[in-house]
Amino acid sequence: MCDGTATAGLMKVWPGHFATISVAATSVCCRETDKKQKDDLEGTGLKGSVKLIANNKKAYHDYFIDEKYECGIELFGTEVKSIRMGKCSIKEAFVRIDHHHEAWIYGMHVNPYEKGNIFNKDPLRARKLLLHKSELLKLSGKIAEKGYTLVPLQVYFKNSLVKVEIGLARGKKLYDKREDIAKKDQRRELEREFKVKNLY
């Protein structure tokens, strides 16, 4: 709910009679909130109908992401509540597929739920990712090729369910990282120049 300054107005009740009403100026506040949420999702590839929880920007610095997959994830109730509060990080996480062709995410940190008590689980426990069998077989084949690995990219809520986006990735060489940094610096410089020109 947005907070706003109340303003007085008149509403026609029936012919010849008016009543004073108080109208909360919430429309502007709500528009600003919607815009902020849209800006937060910009560049993540997610639509506005989902709520982004954790984003692994480091993965894009260290890897080329060739393909992306959306996964379900097995969680306990207290973990879902903690994630809903934003208490989740995948900065140090990685994904592996075992010999049973099941995908697991390791190093995903979910803070213990503050009211979970004995129901809380190990914050860094391995968690099973849910993918279609055909996707798991395809990814297993790709990982068997030299240079491929799986990295978590994002954690988000979609239709009240927690989803994890993973990427089929190839490690970048040092010169690739330097080139990326140079491109980012160039883009920032162009943005600064554009802002300066618009001031005059």
Side-chain angles (χ1 to χ4, degrees):
M1 180 180 292
C2 297
D3 294 321
T5 303
T7 57
L10 293 177
M11 180 178 69
K12 193 170 184 179
V13 181
W14 59 79
H17 295 77
F18 293 86
T20 302
I21 60 171
S22 177
V23 181
T26 61
S27 58
V28 174
C29 178
C30 290
R31 285 198 297 272
E32 290 176 351
T33 302
D34 292 342
K35 182 179 184 301
K36 184 181 184 301
Q37 292 174 344
K38 183 178 179 181
D39 291 342
D40 289 342
L41 291 173
E42 197 170 302
T44 65
L46 300 177
K47 296 181 179 180
S49 60
V50 302
K51 179 183 179 183
L52 180 65
I53 301 297
N55 196 16
N56 187 7
K57 295 181 180 179
K58 187 174 182 290
Y60 291 95
H61 179 265
D62 293 339
Y63 299 96
F64 293 110
I65 308 299
D66 288 355
E67 297 177 15
K68 296 179 181 179
Y69 295 83
E70 181 180 79
C71 315
I73 182 171
E74 288 187 351
L75 297 168
F76 289 93
T78 52
E79 292 177 319
V80 175
K81 291 177 180 179
S82 185
I83 291 174
R84 193 179 295 278
M85 296 172 65
K87 308 295 186 179
C88 172
S89 173
I90 53 173
K91 291 180 180 179
E92 304 299 328
F94 59 95
V95 178
R96 293 288 183 269
I97 297 179
D98 63 20
H99 62 283
H100 296 298
H101 296 296
E102 293 183 336
W104 297 82
I105 183 169
Y106 299 86
M108 173 180 171
H109 189 277
V110 179
N111 283 11
Y113 181 53
E114 58 184 11
K115 298 180 181 178
N117 297 323
I118 62 172
F119 298 104
N120 281 325
K121 305 300 177 182
D122 179 1
L124 289 171
R125 74 180 186 88
R127 298 173 175 90
K128 186 177 179 180
L129 297 177
L130 307 176
L131 288 137
H132 294 292
K133 185 176 180 180
S134 59
E135 293 174 326
L136 288 166
L137 291 173
K138 178 183 177 181
L139 289 172
S140 294
K142 285 287 188 179
I143 293 171
E145 299 178 18
K146 186 177 180 180
Y148 274 110
T149 188
L150 291 173
V151 294
L153 303 175
Q154 298 175 137
V155 178
Y156 52 93
F157 273 94
K158 182 178 182 181
N159 298 327
S160 76
L161 297 175
V162 179
K163 299 291 184 178
V164 179
E165 183 181 65
I166 64 174
L168 181 64
R170 292 177 291 114
K172 289 183 179 180
K173 305 295 184 183
L174 181 59
Y175 61 82
D176 291 322
K177 295 179 182 180
R178 287 173 177 170
E179 185 178 353
D180 285 346
I181 292 172
K183 287 180 180 178
K184 288 179 181 178
D185 289 341
Q186 185 178 20
R187 184 164 61 248
R188 280 195 292 265
E189 184 62 30
L190 289 173
E191 289 174 353
R192 278 197 295 266
E193 290 179 4
F194 180 75
K195 289 178 181 179
V196 170
K197 287 180 180 178
N198 285 343
L199 292 175
Y200 299 97

